[in-house]
Amino acid sequence: MAVTESAPAAPPAARTQTRTPDGPVTGPPDEAATGTPNPTIRDTPNRGPSDRGPSDRAAPAQGVPDRSASAQGSPDQGGGGGYEGILRRQSLRESAARTYARSLPIVPVRARGLTIEGADGRRYLDCLSGAGTLALGHNHPVVLEAVKKVLDSGAPLHVLDLATPVKDAFTSELFATLPGELADNARIQFCGPAGTDAVEAALKLVRTATGRSGLLAFTGAYHGMTSGALDASGGATDVRVTRLPYPHSYRCPYGVGGARGAQLAARWTESLLDDPKSGVTTPAGMILEAVQGEGGVIPAPDDWMRRMRRITADRSIPLVVDEVQTGVGRTGAFWAVEHSGVVPDVMVLSKAIGGSLPLAVIVYRSELDAWEPGAHAGTFRGNQLAMAAGTATLAYVRENGLAERAGILGARILGQLRGLAAAHPCVGDVRGRGLMIGVELVDPDAAGPDDPVPPAAPALALAVQQECLTRGLIVELGGRHSAVVRLLPPLTITDEQAAAVLDRFADALAAAERAHIPQRPAARRTTAPRTAPGPSH
């Protein structure tokens, strides 16, 4: 698929979008609203990597990004020196804790939908989407209009936790999307504007409501970067947090994978709680992710989710589900718990609920509302612009069936990636749900005779990420050893854009594999990559 690097066109007037049961047919909602196809993608038939022709390949950037005088003329806003000067000053001024800027040395100056334009004049297809924050992509018209409406109204932008029409509209729209059994008996707590603070609030809530202090969490989990959230994440050492095995079909801790591996993991949880000599007292709660994102894009089987709900309900243990990254249609359902039918006691929500702006809440059963006034507070919990943007985003995803479309398109992308993996032994596993997708890279030559699967290949994954960036594709790495290439495109991605993403990824994978494994002959593997079975329903 050919890709051009033309300058962005001015957005024309909106047009009407037609729909089918499978989702939009005139392009993604952002394009449907503006009438402008993404200028980086030329309309061609939808094809996957396996049936590309020589002329269809995504045009890679040749070598180093353009550093000509014309490219340097892009917005700087940093005191001169062009984009290289901005990057240099960032490295000198910002802390050593910065992350994305290290692997993605770009300076975004404009963005729309799937596309980011850098200060160097290059365009990128963004499959990071603010780590899953941008459900509608960058600068979607309905989000911009919602923000503009608040700004033009003269409404206060900072109100602490006071009631406002904007807040009331957000809460009403959010409750309309929640599982009915929870929404009918729910309370909402507005937290500091980050998912990690919402996790802190959830843990504080269940400890207050139960009078207990212990917590059940899972290996591979990620719940944020504040102290309490880190305690509940994989690799922490807090003795109040008991680590439980999370089902992982590819790297199963029991060596069996599939449904049997998930059953064993659930049985271990049950045994630990019921054994009077296990050393684990009844905890304040259990926190889990329906799909572990940072842990390597690992979907929990639906049967296992239902078993966790039964185990916790039978023992009066509140179940907390972290939907910070999985929520708002990302996995093919509005909330990931809907796949299994599980209704948690507490849902932790952030990222996409703010429509690209900072917002975080917890929603929980009213029976848990044992807090005293001021027990959890935050100066910026009344972010009016985020609530307006969030209301517009939630309504747009709901009204346009974007969750269902994410499920359909995500399944298609997974199938195409698995087809691509058959020709690349370095692809150990392809997994995901909806538009939350991971490709685990391995070193097939380093597997020992007793190893059920090859070891992870983080250096190769990093090389693939850099080759993707060279070709104008932004992806992230995750997993235990940062060996999983993650794709988190906006829900508004078109079929044509998805084909372009796969095309660029295929080129990047082949280039990185050639550079890192030059001795391997280009032979097609005879067995398919080991992939996690689709979640049961």
Side-chain angles (χ1 to χ4, degrees):
M1 176 168 296
V3 178
T4 63
E5 298 291 339
S6 58
R15 64 181 168 89
T16 303
Q17 178 187 18
T18 58
R19 290 190 43 77
T20 72
D22 292 338
V25 297
T26 59
D30 60 322
E31 294 180 5
T34 64
T36 306
N38 186 313
T40 65
I41 307 298
R42 188 174 69 193
D43 290 334
T44 57
N46 298 330
R47 287 176 287 192
S50 60
D51 40 38
R52 292 177 294 157
S55 63
D56 298 323
R57 191 172 301 236
Q62 298 299 318
V64 181
D66 181 13
R67 293 181 171 86
S68 64
S70 60
Q72 299 280 345
S74 298
D76 183 343
Q77 302 174 0
Y83 79 97
E84 290 179 314
I86 294 174
L87 292 174
R88 183 172 61 254
R89 286 187 290 278
Q90 180 188 40
S91 68
L92 291 173
R93 295 168 175 169
E94 294 188 22
S95 82
R98 68 189 187 281
T99 53
Y100 297 107
R102 295 180 184 275
S103 56
L104 302 171
I106 63 176
V107 180
V109 293
R110 277 176 290 275
R112 187 174 185 83
L114 180 69
T115 306
I116 288 178
E117 182 179 340
D120 59 355
R122 292 194 60 206
R123 290 187 166 220
Y124 303 85
L125 303 183
D126 181 11
C127 281
L128 176 57
S129 299
T133 299
L134 304 171
L136 303 184
H138 295 276
N139 292 325
H140 192 282
V142 300
V143 171
L144 298 182
E145 179 59 29
V147 171
K148 183 177 184 296
K149 184 177 179 181
V150 174
L151 292 174
D152 291 346
S153 73
L157 301 183
H158 188 288
V159 294
L160 297 171
D161 65 351
L162 300 180
T164 70
V166 172
K167 185 183 197 178
D168 183 65
F170 171 79
T171 304
S172 297
E173 181 60 42
L174 177 63
F175 274 45
T177 70
L178 294 173
E181 186 180 334
L182 178 60
D184 292 343
N185 184 36
R187 295 290 184 272
I188 184 170
Q189 168 69 26
F190 288 86
C191 306
T196 189
D197 188 65
V199 170
E200 297 282 352
L203 303 185
K204 186 188 295 184
L205 174 73
V206 296
R207 282 170 170 154
T208 300
T210 64
R212 305 189 290 259
S213 61
L215 186 70
L216 300 176
F218 290 87
T219 55
Y222 176 77
H223 297 292
M225 293 300 293
T226 53
S227 179
L230 282 172
D231 287 344
S233 300
T237 56
D238 188 334
V239 296
R240 296 189 303 167
V241 179
T242 300
R243 312 288 154 188
L244 300 171
Y246 191 89
H248 192 334
S249 191
Y250 185 62
R251 297 193 182 277
C252 177
Y254 305 104
V256 294
R260 181 58 179 157
Q263 290 168 0
L264 291 172
R267 182 71 191 99
W268 171 253
T269 299
E270 220 165 16
S271 174
L272 198 70
L273 290 171
D274 293 342
D275 183 356
K277 297 295 186 180
S278 69
V280 177
T281 59
T282 303
M286 172 190 285
I287 184 168
L288 60 81
E289 301 157 276
V291 180
Q292 286 192 343
E294 302 299 326
V297 192
I298 307 169
D302 291 341
D303 285 342
W304 179 85
M305 287 286 295
R306 288 187 283 266
R307 186 113 175 243
M308 292 303 102
R309 175 67 283 190
R310 288 196 299 272
I311 289 172
T312 53
D314 290 347
R315 294 160 181 79
S316 299
I317 301 170
L319 176 62
V320 181
V321 176
D322 182 341
E323 289 259 17
V324 168
Q325 193 168 93
T326 54
V328 194
R330 170 63 56 188
T331 68
F334 209 99
W335 306 107
V337 292
E338 295 178 41
H339 292 293
S340 61
V342 162
V343 180
D345 299 296
V346 185
M347 290 178 67
V348 181
L349 313 177
S350 189
K351 291 192 184 293
I353 67 165
S356 76
L357 299 178
L359 188 62
V361 305
I362 58 172
V363 180
Y364 54 92
R365 295 184 187 274
S366 61
E367 294 83 0
L368 296 174
D369 198 22
W371 274 337
E372 294 294 330
H376 195 82
T379 301
F380 293 102
R381 54 190 159 144
N383 189 338
Q384 297 293 282
L385 295 182
M387 291 177 191
T391 302
T393 298
L394 294 170
Y396 201 86
V397 172
R398 177 177 56 81
E399 293 168 358
N400 289 276
L402 295 192
E404 294 80 1
R405 173 167 166 75
I408 294 168
L409 182 57
R412 189 185 311 153
I413 292 173
L414 282 169
Q416 291 173 316
L417 286 171
R418 286 166 181 156
L420 174 68
H424 295 275
C426 65
V427 176
D429 193 22
V430 175
R431 54 184 180 257
R433 198 159 203 175
L435 290 176
M436 193 171 181
I437 295 168
V439 179
E440 181 166 346
L441 300 181
V442 299
D443 184 352
D445 295 333
D450 297 325
D451 294 332
V453 295
L460 177 60
L462 181 61
V464 170
Q465 183 188 43
Q466 294 306 306
E467 292 288 353
C468 284
L469 190 65
T470 298
R471 288 157 176 77
L473 175 62
I474 297 173
V475 298
E476 173 58 333
L477 301 182
R480 304 304 207 275
H481 305 286
S482 296
V484 178
V485 180
R486 302 188 59 200
L487 299 176
L488 288 165
L491 310 188
T492 52
I493 186 173
T494 64
D495 292 349
E496 292 80 7
Q497 289 171 333
V501 166
L502 289 169
D503 210 36
R504 296 185 189 196
F505 177 77
D507 285 341
L509 177 64
E513 191 176 34
R514 284 194 300 270
H516 278 70
I517 320 175
Q519 75 281 6
R520 177 177 290 113
R524 186 176 183 86
R525 109 163 103 195
T526 57
T527 58
R530 182 175 174 183
T531 56
S536 59
H537 293 278

